[in-house]
Amino acid sequence: MEIWAIILALLAPMSGIWQLPATGVPPPKVEVFELARPAPTPPAIKARAAILVDLDSGITLFQFDPHGRHAPASLTKVVTALVALDHLRLDQLVTVPASINQLPWDSTRMGLRVGERVSVHELMLGLFLNSGNDAAITLSDAAMSRPAFVALMNAKASALGMLDTHFVNPIGLDDPGHVTSAADLARAAMELETRFPAVSALAATPSIALPATASHHAYNLYNLNQLIRTYPGATGLKTGWTGRAGGCLIATATRSGRHLMVVVLGSPRIFEEAGALLDFGFASV
């Protein structure tokens, strides 16, 4: 009996080692660390200049030679639209001038005929879908004389802070003095989106048939911006091409509540490069 008493006495202090923690004492906190997602890599592009902007925050997500002065081709027509909308109503009927017959043979056109009466709204469709040079000339000549209109285009550019820009014509025809930058064109496009959202929204139209009226024949308009048909969420905005400018594009898109805009100048593959930049932007936090 004495031996068992000694063994129990020796074991008694050790029993406390296996006791559960006292009630009410919290267990130690476990910290969980979330692995950061690697930042997306900007795509390699061959454009002469480009800029990608988050339209909601105004933050530039990507830029390459954003202030280099380049020929803009028909991206010029965004500023043509801004000046025309300052002086003409969308429901206003204007007369197609004889000066459309002086356009270069390879001009993009909406198909106007001299003497027809068309609305400014119809001309905006022709301007943004077909990139109609005839629509641009009709708008400018309806507002005022050509030199006065171009002067107001340059005044508009100055007012918007487009310091890399100088216009010579309302179409975007090549001229050594007709230049702008990717950053400046982004400013102009944002002004159009802000002040005239109903007009910028027209650029999301894949195609449209305008019926004949008493004052003009029917027009079948087709959007030259391939992204409208191929890129999910594409909303616009303007295409351009000349021999000097190369391929040019202002592309806008909306996805998951985010709104982005990309401008590419002098690109050999405008739709592929603009789409790749938009993908990069949407993947960026």
Side-chain angles (χ1 to χ4, degrees):
M1 292 295 293
E2 291 180 359
I3 294 174
W4 285 108
I6 292 171
I7 293 173
L8 290 172
L10 291 171
L11 292 175
M14 297 181 63
S15 64
I17 297 174
W18 312 108
Q19 291 179 356
L20 294 172
T23 304
V25 178
K29 292 183 178 179
V30 178
E31 294 189 46
V32 178
F33 296 92
E34 182 178 350
L35 295 177
R37 185 176 61 178
T41 302
I45 61 172
K46 294 185 178 181
R48 296 170 193 160
I51 191 168
L52 173 66
V53 180
D54 186 312
L55 293 176
D56 300 310
S57 65
I59 295 174
T60 297
L61 303 174
F62 172 88
Q63 56 185 348
F64 173 69
D65 193 24
H67 293 285
R69 306 182 86 191
H70 302 279
S74 285
L75 304 193
T76 299
K77 292 168 183 162
V78 172
V79 179
T80 301
L82 286 172
V83 174
L85 291 167
D86 281 341
H87 295 85
L88 303 170
R89 303 185 319 274
L90 283 175
D91 63 351
Q92 185 173 340
L93 290 178
V94 299
T95 302
V96 179
S99 54
I100 65 166
N101 289 334
Q102 299 169 5
L103 289 168
W105 66 271
D106 58 348
S107 286
T108 50
R109 298 172 182 263
M110 72 173 286
L112 298 173
R113 299 172 183 171
V114 174
E116 288 185 316
R117 298 271 291 168
V118 292
S119 72
V120 172
H121 179 269
E122 290 168 324
L123 291 171
M124 288 294 168
L125 282 166
L127 193 77
F128 284 98
L129 272 64
N130 288 45
S131 193
N133 287 355
D134 50 356
I137 289 298
T138 300
L139 287 166
S140 65
D141 286 11
M144 62 197 71
S145 70
R146 189 83 51 82
F149 191 91
V150 173
L152 282 184
M153 290 176 66
N154 286 313
K156 175 69 70 177
S158 179
L160 293 176
M162 298 168 62
L163 303 181
D164 311 315
T165 297
H166 185 263
F167 295 120
V168 174
N169 60 75
I171 302 170
L173 297 179
D174 287 338
D175 187 285
H178 194 95
V179 292
T180 187
S181 68
D184 279 5
L185 287 167
R187 285 176 181 264
M190 285 189 282
E191 177 74 0
L192 183 72
E193 294 251 335
T194 301
R195 287 193 59 211
F196 304 104
V199 173
S200 64
L202 298 178
T205 308
S207 62
I208 190 171
L210 301 179
T213 70
S215 62
H216 68 69
H217 73 289
Y219 307 104
N220 291 308
L221 306 180
Y222 183 82
N223 199 326
L224 300 180
N225 182 1
Q226 293 181 15
L227 295 185
I228 293 298
R229 285 172 285 274
T230 62
Y231 190 85
T235 58
L237 180 70
K238 190 70 196 73
T239 59
W241 187 90
T242 65
R244 182 168 178 262
C248 301
L249 179 67
I250 301 173
T252 54
T254 298
R255 190 179 294 176
S256 300
R258 297 184 64 199
H259 306 81
L260 302 184
M261 172 190 296
V262 63
V263 181
V264 291
L265 298 177
S267 168
R269 300 187 309 275
I270 54 173
F271 302 116
E272 291 87 346
E273 294 197 335
L277 284 167
L278 286 171
D279 284 343
F280 165 74
F282 284 122
S284 302
V285 177

